[in-house]
Amino acid sequence: LYYNFILGLTFRKLVSTSCSLEFSPPRVVVRFGDSLSANCTSSSDQTEGIGWESPYGGVDLTLGVSSLLFKIDSVPEWDTGPMCYMNSCDGDQCVKVLPVTVYKMPDSVSLKNLRTVEEGQQFAIQCDIVNVAPARNLSVLWHKGKKILSSQTFDESSPSPVSKSSVLTLTAHRDDDGAEIWCEAKLNLWPQEQGPPPVRSEAFSFFVFGSKISLNCTARGNPVPSYHWQFPNFTQVWYRSHDVNLPILTPSSKFPGVYTCTASNSQGTVTKYFIITEAPRKFLAVH
Ligand SMILES: *[C@@H]1O[C@H](CO)[C@@H](O)[C@H](O)[C@H]1NC(C)=O
Ligand SMILES: *[C@@H]1O[C@H](CO)[C@@H](O)[C@H](O)[C@H]1NC(C)=O
């Protein structure tokens, strides 16, 4: 523990049970690299002086004050808040650590690793959240249209950035036709609607065979983009002989699965995903 070196400043009796120090704000949520400031105030009439200490600098013991400000321009650590100490006239010392949560929004949130199970009626989709902190305060929400299908949290002790994945298994329903599915990563560190906005993945469009469907991947761009389609493995043989360098594809109802379209030109590439599923079979109840 880094406290050892400050307690070496003064050899005093450490009293933490009756520590009269208060912080303003009482706790801090700060983005890694942003500035941090907090006030430490002692309500004891025995206060001789107050100081701050941290592995990244402090404020010297200041005599004759009842409150002292700590300020740094850039938070350089993930796991330690600064601590405030108060020396009292009777020779005691009390210390209190400012509760600090250092966060980082993810570098990216994306969908991948689609697997088709049970003959195209069920899908497993993976959402990858890259470099987020602290992951114990992360929720991943799966959206389908206006509905939230599920949410996941993580049991993670590391305060520094980690990557996490969430897998959604989904059964297709006829009602899903045209729906979009995406995941969203959100840090639960603020009261509702405060803090940075959640980070969303791209959306998958969902189609259920019934009538004839066409997948529209048309992208605007200058120069005019070129298109490339990838099909579920078992359809590739069928399509190999077709010209599919087109923005709109009309797949055959024999081939459910995930269709991936990339539109690219010299300026970049965009990817669009389409999930095609067979309409669930209707069963007749026989008594
Ligand atoms: C710190 O607290 C003292 C005493 O309440 C107050 O006078 C001072 O303005 C505060 N400073 C900041 C930056 O909040
Ligand atoms: C972050 O998550 C932990 C563990 O779930 C929780 O105890 C803590 O209060 C959360 N932090 C904030 C600032 O809400």
Side-chain angles (χ1 to χ4, degrees):
L1 263 152
Y2 70 86
Y3 308 149
N4 294 344
F5 74 87
I6 31 130
L7 295 179
L9 281 175
T10 50
F11 288 94
R12 284 173 176 248
K13 186 158 65 112
L14 185 62
V15 196
S16 45
T17 45
S18 61
C19 200
S20 61
L21 297 173
E22 297 289 339
F23 294 116
S24 169
R27 56 188 301 158
V28 176
V29 176
V30 62
R31 188 169 65 176
F32 185 80
D34 277 4
S35 66
L36 179 158
S37 67
N39 230 341
C40 178
T41 302
S42 170
S43 57
S44 163
D45 56 9
Q46 292 296 301
T47 306
E48 184 189 59
I50 301 178
W52 281 93
E53 200 50 75
S54 82
Y56 36 88
V59 183
D60 288 344
L61 176 67
T62 309
L63 299 176
V65 295
S66 61
S67 121
L68 189 68
L69 187 71
F70 175 86
K71 196 171 187 319
I72 46 167
D73 291 339
S74 173
V75 173
E77 295 221 345
W78 297 98
D79 55 353
T80 38
M83 55 167 284
C84 175
Y85 62 96
M86 183 273 273
N87 291 351
S88 69
C89 300
D90 58 17
D92 289 343
Q93 184 178 58
C94 93
V95 297
K96 208 169 162 184
V97 178
L98 175 70
V100 174
T101 304
V102 183
Y103 75 90
K104 181 189 166 299
M105 294 304 283
D107 289 338
S108 66
V109 176
S110 58
L111 299 180
K112 73 145 198 242
N113 261 14
L114 298 123
R115 281 176 289 125
T116 311
V117 279
E118 282 193 15
E119 297 170 4
Q121 297 236 10
Q122 268 204 345
F123 297 90
I125 311 176
Q126 182 172 317
C127 176
D128 291 327
I129 300 100
V130 176
N131 271 334
V132 64
R136 67 173 161 274
N137 299 98
L138 172 71
S139 342
V140 177
L141 302 177
W142 283 97
H143 293 260
K144 187 173 79 183
K146 293 196 179 93
K147 264 188 282 180
I148 292 178
L149 295 178
S150 67
S151 77
Q152 187 177 349
T153 54
F154 302 88
D155 208 3
E156 169 64 61
S157 58
S158 169
S160 48
V162 292
S163 295
K164 293 284 169 192
S165 295
S166 172
V167 174
L168 177 76
T169 304
L170 187 73
T171 307
H173 294 287
R174 189 176 286 277
D175 299 349
D176 295 335
D177 200 19
E180 291 204 320
I181 291 173
W182 71 93
C183 69
E184 178 182 85
K186 170 174 148 191
L187 286 172
N188 303 307
L189 295 173
W190 300 273
Q192 295 211 327
E193 307 298 317
Q194 288 178 33
V199 182
R200 274 178 67 151
S201 71
E202 69 276 32
F204 279 36
S205 307
F206 214 106
F207 294 91
V208 179
F209 279 122
S211 54
K212 196 172 174 185
I213 53 173
S214 59
L215 310 181
N216 193 342
C217 180
T218 309
R220 267 173 299 166
N222 187 9
V224 173
S226 65
Y227 297 92
H228 175 75
W229 287 89
Q230 271 184 304
F231 311 115
N233 277 340
F234 49 95
T235 68
Q236 268 171 4
V237 176
W238 184 76
Y239 271 111
R240 194 165 289 152
S241 57
H242 290 62
D243 177 12
V244 288
N245 186 18
L246 294 168
I248 297 175
L249 184 80
T250 308
S252 154
S253 63
K254 292 194 197 86
F255 303 108
V258 179
Y259 290 71
T260 308
C261 168
T262 51
S264 42
N265 64 14
S266 53
Q267 306 303 302
T269 297
V270 284
T271 302
K272 204 165 168 183
Y273 300 90
F274 301 89
I275 301 174
I276 314 295
T277 168
E278 286 172 82
R281 287 180 207 98
K282 290 210 171 65
F283 294 100
L284 288 172
V286 179
H287 295 279

